[in-house]
Amino acid sequence: MTLLIAGLILWTAAHYFKRLMPAQRAALGNTGKGIVAVALVVSVVFMVMGYRGADFIYVWQPPAFMMHVNNTLMLFALWVYGSSAAKGAKAWPAYKIRHPQLTGFKIWALAHLLVNGDLASILLFGGLLAWAVGEVILINKAEPEWTAPEKAGMATRVRLAVITVVLYGIISGVHIWLGVWPFPS
């Protein structure tokens, strides 16, 4: 569990560094990008190793229907995250909300909290959800002005729908490969 917590702390610190210590981050120049990138990779390795190695400590039993909620939220999370990917005009909701990628990430974390009732999962997904909420607050405080982008056309929305379904299939396949069946039995 220590490695998992260390990974969460490192992930958060690496992301918040630019927002909380802008002068120090700017002083590092391009070297700082490399340092942050390495810290993020190490944090992900720590989180994965810590999560996979953690003892199962039962906290609560998610109801069976939460798997349906999780799967629906995952499709939505991928759509929301990807809605900002197009250059120029953006698909819904990216033309309405300022942080669609962080919003998609928060939906992902919440979806996983709903179907995992062990302590390691609560720490991992709850910690990442808290990080994303804090990241939005820090960005909005540092850069209060935001101009909504134009609405994307049908071609962008269709492309996003196809990418969302393909990514959902890939992510489901990875879960199955890792031994976690992501669908109701």
Side-chain angles (χ1 to χ4, degrees):
M1 203 75 72
T2 303
L3 203 52
L4 171 60
I5 293 168
L8 285 166
I9 291 169
L10 184 56
W11 173 271
T12 302
H15 278 94
Y16 286 2
F17 180 47
K18 176 182 176 182
R19 303 291 171 196
L20 296 176
M21 303 173 77
Q24 292 85 343
R25 171 58 189 90
L28 291 173
N30 283 337
T31 304
K33 289 180 182 179
I35 292 169
V36 169
V38 168
L40 291 174
V41 169
V42 170
S43 74
V44 170
V45 169
F46 282 6
M47 285 186 280
V48 169
M49 289 174 58
Y51 183 73
R52 298 287 286 176
D55 292 332
F56 186 88
I57 300 171
Y58 177 82
V59 177
W60 73 292
Q61 177 63 43
F65 74 87
M66 283 298 178
M67 192 168 283
H68 296 289
V69 175
N70 172 73
N71 290 340
T72 303
L73 285 173
M74 283 305 303
L75 274 169
F76 187 57
L78 291 168
W79 174 275
V80 172
Y81 188 95
S83 68
S84 68
K87 300 219 185 296
K90 306 293 183 190
W92 178 88
Y95 64 80
K96 290 217 175 255
I97 61 175
R98 182 172 183 181
H99 306 288
Q101 291 180 347
L102 285 166
T103 301
F105 191 92
K106 289 186 283 188
I107 295 167
W108 166 85
L110 176 64
H112 283 75
L113 279 171
L114 294 176
V115 293
N116 292 287
D118 63 293
L119 183 59
S121 295
I122 293 168
L123 286 173
L124 176 62
F125 301 115
L128 290 172
L129 177 59
W131 158 77
V133 169
E135 187 77 15
V136 167
I137 292 167
L138 289 173
I139 292 169
N140 288 347
K141 187 176 179 182
E143 304 164 16
E145 299 299 320
W146 178 68
T147 304
E150 296 294 319
K151 294 180 185 179
M154 181 61 75
T156 298
R157 294 193 307 269
V158 168
R159 189 169 38 253
L160 177 58
V162 170
I163 291 169
T164 296
V165 171
V166 169
L167 283 175
Y168 185 82
I170 291 169
I171 292 167
S172 297
V174 168
H175 278 74
I176 293 166
W177 177 67
L178 291 172
V180 179
W181 186 253
F183 305 106
S185 301

